[in-house]
Amino acid sequence: MKLLLVSFVVLTAFGKWVDGFLEFNETELYQIENYRSGNVSNGSVYGISKAYDNALMVGLTLIQSARAKGAVCLDGTLPGYHLHRGYGSGANSWLIQLEHYILCDIRTMIFIDDNLCSSLLYYRGLMALLHQFGGGGWCNNVRNCVYRKKTRRGSSWYMEKQIAFTGILSNKAQENPDFFNWNRVKLRYCDGASFTGDSENKALLSGCSAGGLASILHCDEFRDFFPRTTRVKCLSDAGLFLDAVDVSGGHTLRNLYSGVVGLQGVQNNLPRICTNHLDPTSCFFPQNIIRQVRTPLFILNAAYDSWQIQSSLAPPSADPHGHWHDCRLNHAKCSASQIRFLQGFRNQVLKAVRGFSMSKQNGLFINSCFAHCQTERQDTWFADDSPVVGNKAIAIAVGDWYFDRSGIKIVDCPYPCDKTCHNLVFQRA
């Protein structure tokens, strides 16, 4: 039986709780919602399902030279990437998409397979730890790292051999109007990429969730690998993790970040302009970094980020009596006081980007949705019924900003005014 999904998607069996954090995968979520139902709205096919059925499938390439350089996955297997080459006007332009996780143990610069491009580099120990964890999460203790060794979060043995290139990775102009013919690379268990030489004329470092955080932390480093004549910008999708107080009055995400920083000693890879005056844990929070990023940066974030609600603001560890259980899974079940708390979080998001948005070179798109990672899914990136603010879809906003067609500083009105959202709703037994 088809599910009638107008503005939400459903996660069922693939999520699990690990150490008090909800763990789910955006790719799995995307596949579930399309495989199970076809997402129909008002009796017509919702663009996401058809788009996924016809999506470009891109194979996994393992980096054979990685082992000799010590840049391997948690279990020692090789890291990898998915590449679809560009053509025409995009032949010399590159979009590097960081997945929701990064290697635990990268300490050296490594070269990708010579068959790809001898000038494509991985960064020197970018963040050293971030892993796919609920579409934006981290391996913050030895137990979690060991757990992931038997999953694709820690081993290329378990990675999908092909993935769908949708959203910002799509090869169809009608789905991805500005970047469809670029060289598009999705990095798996790796840190970032850069190009040297004179042939590249455009580059965009992009990532969602933990990858979005990485694109902020290393945007300037990415810029430095290119000639000054190359247009280089960065895009962070759902990477604006806030140092917020949870529903118990504690700091769940700060405690998690402290474990991340302490376990791997990643402070040496954090921006010094921040660590010179703040502690390393604070410098893991984008709110303390974004104003100092020199390279043009676009921040795309839901004002009510689903991952942060579930894993930072109202995780089970901060809600032992389950008062937030239903609200955490479905915003429609939140009480008036809970909505007020979430409106307070939105206010913190807007305060965090206020100074950042004053720079002419930066871009901003904050929609009032209960969502997470909106660039990789076709339904939220660019489709007939995509989320819009002021009649502008996310893909158009990003393209306008990247190509300097117009300045983009878009902030949505508070919930529940936006009726175009594709809100995430979670179901659990």
Side-chain angles (χ1 to χ4, degrees):
M1 178 177 178
K2 293 186 175 181
L3 300 177
L4 301 179
L5 301 181
V6 177
S7 62
F8 62 92
V9 292
V10 179
L11 171 67
T12 52
F14 283 82
K16 63 177 70 175
W17 292 98
V18 178
D19 284 358
F21 292 89
L22 177 67
E23 181 174 80
F24 71 92
N25 174 271
E26 289 292 333
T27 302
E28 289 170 342
L29 175 61
Y30 183 53
Q31 291 173 341
I32 292 167
E33 64 190 72
N34 288 282
Y35 173 79
R36 292 187 62 196
S37 65
N39 285 353
V40 295
S41 174
N42 298 327
S44 60
V45 175
Y46 204 38
I48 179 175
S49 176
K50 184 176 293 184
Y52 183 78
D53 290 340
N54 298 321
L56 172 71
M57 302 301 293
V58 179
L60 174 68
T61 299
L62 297 180
I63 305 169
Q64 300 301 323
S65 60
R67 181 169 288 112
K69 302 177 186 298
V72 293
C73 297
L74 282 172
D75 67 342
T77 54
L78 297 174
Y81 63 89
H82 302 261
L83 165 71
H84 189 251
R85 290 190 177 277
Y87 62 90
S89 62
N92 292 322
S93 299
W94 291 81
L95 189 153
I96 311 300
Q97 179 80 352
L98 308 180
E99 202 163 20
H100 317 301
Y101 46 6
I102 296 179
L103 280 176
C104 261
D105 190 21
I106 298 182
R107 288 288 182 265
T108 58
M109 187 86 77
I110 65 171
F111 285 84
I112 278 186
D113 191 329
D114 291 339
N115 291 330
L116 169 59
C117 177
S118 62
S119 63
L120 181 60
L121 308 174
Y122 286 118
Y123 284 138
R124 186 191 306 272
L126 286 184
M127 294 174 65
L129 185 61
L130 296 179
H131 274 266
Q132 180 175 336
F133 185 35
W138 297 267
C139 164
N140 67 316
N141 58 49
V142 173
R143 178 174 175 265
N144 281 346
C145 285
V146 170
Y147 167 77
R148 285 169 182 75
K149 287 174 69 173
K150 296 298 184 181
T151 73
R152 62 182 178 182
R153 298 158 180 81
S155 171
S156 59
W157 180 259
Y158 299 99
M159 289 181 188
E160 310 96 317
K161 298 304 180 281
Q162 289 188 322
I163 64 170
F165 266 30
T166 57
I168 198 171
L169 297 175
S170 173
N171 66 327
K172 299 180 178 67
Q174 66 271 27
E175 297 176 354
N176 189 21
D178 284 305
F179 307 108
F180 70 95
N181 65 343
W182 284 29
N183 296 283
R184 299 169 326 283
V185 185
K186 183 158 187 173
L187 301 181
R188 309 293 302 270
Y189 286 81
C190 296
D191 290 332
S194 172
F195 300 87
T196 59
D198 298 323
S199 61
E200 293 75 37
N201 52 44
K202 300 182 187 72
L204 175 62
L205 177 66
S206 175
C208 80
S209 200
L213 172 57
S215 68
I216 294 172
L217 289 171
H218 301 284
C219 183
D220 287 336
E221 187 176 0
F222 183 73
R223 159 74 270 183
D224 290 344
F225 281 105
F226 291 85
R228 303 314 298 177
T229 55
T230 301
R231 180 194 295 265
V232 180
K233 298 187 179 185
C234 304
L235 165 63
S236 172
D237 175 13
L240 191 66
F241 299 98
L242 293 191
D243 188 6
V245 176
D246 62 38
V247 296
S248 71
H251 289 81
T252 296
L253 192 54
R254 170 167 280 274
N255 293 337
L256 174 65
Y257 274 16
S258 179
V260 170
V261 172
L263 179 66
Q264 289 290 325
V266 300
Q267 57 264 35
N268 293 331
N269 295 312
L270 295 170
R272 290 187 179 181
I273 195 171
C274 181
T275 56
N276 284 342
H277 67 279
L278 290 176
D279 63 276
T281 299
S282 294
C283 293
F284 225 51
F285 287 99
Q287 65 201 75
N288 298 320
I289 302 169
I290 52 177
R291 292 188 66 177
Q292 284 74 47
V293 176
R294 303 185 308 274
T295 305
L297 172 65
F298 191 103
I299 290 181
L300 163 65
N301 232 84
Y304 313 97
D305 182 90
S306 295
W307 189 90
Q308 293 190 67
I309 292 173
Q310 295 202 12
S311 295
S312 173
L313 300 180
S317 58
D319 181 37
H321 300 295
H323 298 308
W324 276 79
H325 177 270
D326 291 345
C327 175
R328 181 170 56 237
L329 301 181
N330 183 350
H331 65 280
K333 297 183 179 180
C334 295
S335 67
S337 63
Q338 289 170 332
I339 290 295
R340 285 195 296 271
F341 181 89
L342 296 178
Q343 298 292 21
F345 177 73
R346 173 183 177 272
N347 292 337
Q348 293 179 62
V349 170
L350 299 185
K351 181 179 179 180
V353 300
R354 188 174 300 149
F356 165 87
S357 66
M358 294 176 66
S359 172
K360 183 178 179 180
Q361 70 175 7
N362 293 331
L364 183 69
F365 192 106
I366 305 292
N367 56 359
S368 292
C369 302
F370 291 79
H372 187 73
C373 284
Q374 300 180 85
T375 59
E376 292 186 350
R377 287 174 39 200
Q378 195 60 56
D379 68 315
T380 50
W381 173 247
F382 193 65
D384 293 340
D385 198 19
S386 295
V388 296
V389 180
N391 294 320
K392 184 158 288 195
I394 293 169
I396 302 302
V398 171
D400 285 350
W401 164 80
Y402 184 87
F403 291 101
D404 296 326
R405 294 191 292 252
S406 66
I408 301 295
K409 305 291 194 304
I410 296 175
V411 176
D412 206 354
C413 49
Y415 171 83
C417 72
D418 191 337
K419 306 305 180 184
T420 70
C421 289
H422 293 192
N423 293 314
L424 295 178
V425 174
F426 302 86
Q427 290 184 344
R428 300 194 59 79

